């Protein structure tokens, strides 16, 4: 098992550009999520999905879109990047949720928006 | 809404000494509580979790945590730290099935 994979590892964007952060898992997990990590703020939930075709907002969803067309993949889209979106982004997955299941995290994507 | 406070931003401890990291949570019902560790440049790894039952929870790498409802705390401990324990540690509380709230993290430095 590769676990949770994320691409790219690093990315630099200019303000207004768009991009997609990729996340994939090979553990047949129903639940997937995206977090951003900023210094002194821990991890904050952006969006999550409880299965293919089902997504919902987390704590900081503005400026981000998600979709879940397959169980394996959960891409995060930035439609018009802003400097405030400079952060480290983590994707995570678990069997069915977060309350009792162990979440497995990817290695992260470090994004800089100039 | 649930929240987590980790009062210590940074802790320095000598190798072989004991370590305790504090975590206080705010949540109306019985919480699901977690401790994660993040080594430099890595993702997060689960150390331990508490749902119910015995309030002293054992985890990986020799860590344990104690849930104290009266103090709304879930402190993490290790009797003797190793240099490899240098990392950032996050406490998290689960509210319902789909959302985790993380604390801001505590960075642990281990000196020889």
């Amino acid at each position: 098992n590769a676990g949770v994979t994320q691409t790219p590892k690093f990315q630099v964007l200019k303000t207004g550009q768009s991009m997609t952060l990729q996340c994939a898992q090979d553990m047949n997990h129903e639940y997937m999520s995206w977090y951003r990590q900023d210094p002194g703020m821990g991890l904050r939930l952006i969006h999550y999905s409880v299965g293919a075709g089902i997504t919902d907002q987390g704590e900081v969803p503005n400026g981000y879109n998600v979709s879940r067309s397959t169980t394996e993949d959960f891409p995060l889209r930035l439609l018009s990047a802003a400097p405030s979106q400079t952060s480290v982004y983590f994707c995570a997955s678990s069997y069915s949720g977060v309350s009792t299941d162990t979440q497995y995290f990817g290695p992260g994507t470090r994004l800089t928006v100039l | 809404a649930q929240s987590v406070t980790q009062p210590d931003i940074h802790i320095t401890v000598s190798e072989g000494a004991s370590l305790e990291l504090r975590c206080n949570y705010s949540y109306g019902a019985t919480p699901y509580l977690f401790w994660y560790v993040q080594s430099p440049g890595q993702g997060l790894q689960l150390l331990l979790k508490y749902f119910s039952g015995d309030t002293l929870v054992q985890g990986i790498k020799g860590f344990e945590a104690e849930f104290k409802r009266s103090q709304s705390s879930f402190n993490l401990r290790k009797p003797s730290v190793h240099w490899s324990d240098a990392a950032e540690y996050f406490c998290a509380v689960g509210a319902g099935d789909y959302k985790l709230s993380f604390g801001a993290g505590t960075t642990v430095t281990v000196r020889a």
Side-chain angles (χ1 to χ4, degrees):
Chain A
N1 284 356
V4 180
T5 58
Q6 292 183 238
T7 56
K9 289 188 184 303
F10 301 94
Q11 183 71 50
V12 179
L13 292 177
K14 294 181 179 179
T15 297
Q17 288 185 314
S18 63
M19 82 159 295
T20 299
L21 307 186
Q22 300 292 344
C23 174
Q25 52 89 11
D26 61 358
M27 297 174 282
N28 202 30
H29 285 168
E30 291 295 326
Y31 180 89
M32 297 185 74
S33 57
W34 277 101
Y35 293 88
R36 60 177 289 172
Q37 182 181 26
D38 302 293
M41 303 188 75
L43 279 78
R44 292 180 292 169
L45 182 65
I46 304 172
H47 285 285
Y48 66 94
S49 168
V50 299
I54 307 170
T55 63
D56 205 346
Q57 296 181 350
E59 183 183 355
V60 288
N62 292 343
Y64 307 95
N65 280 354
V66 293
S67 60
R68 183 101 178 264
S69 56
T70 67
T71 299
E72 295 78 18
D73 301 297
F74 190 43
L76 179 73
R77 297 184 188 84
L78 284 70
L79 298 179
S80 179
S84 60
Q85 294 178 304
T86 293
S87 188
V88 181
Y89 292 84
F90 288 100
C91 180
S93 75
S94 61
Y95 180 67
S96 64
V98 301
S99 57
T100 57
D101 297 334
T102 297
Q103 281 208 95
Y104 295 87
F105 283 80
T109 294
R110 185 173 294 274
L111 175 67
T112 301
V113 183
L114 303 176
Chain B
Q2 73 280 10
S3 65
V4 176
T5 302
Q6 293 181 247
D8 304 303
I9 297 173
H10 190 199
I11 287 179
T12 299
V13 60
S14 298
E15 193 169 13
S18 63
L19 174 68
E20 182 168 12
L21 304 182
R22 295 183 291 165
C23 171
N24 294 100
Y25 68 89
S26 173
Y27 185 58
T30 299
Y32 302 105
L33 295 162
F34 307 82
W35 275 101
Y36 284 86
V37 60
Q38 184 181 32
S39 299
Q42 304 295 315
L44 277 70
Q45 181 184 21
L46 180 69
L47 283 175
L48 48 77
K49 56 188 176 184
Y50 170 79
F51 305 140
S52 64
D54 192 348
T55 55
L56 186 62
V57 181
Q58 302 297 321
I60 62 171
K61 306 186 182 196
F63 284 92
E64 66 178 24
E66 186 171 13
F67 170 60
K68 293 186 177 180
R69 184 187 300 274
S70 62
Q71 299 178 17
S72 297
S73 69
F74 189 56
N75 293 350
L76 182 71
R77 299 192 293 254
K78 185 169 185 178
S80 176
V81 299
H82 186 262
W83 63 265
S84 61
D85 293 322
E88 190 162 18
Y89 293 80
F90 293 94
C91 183
V93 60
D97 290 332
Y98 304 124
K99 295 184 179 181
L100 270 187
S101 289
F102 284 83
T106 298
T107 299
V108 173
T109 298
V110 180
R111 59 180 176 223

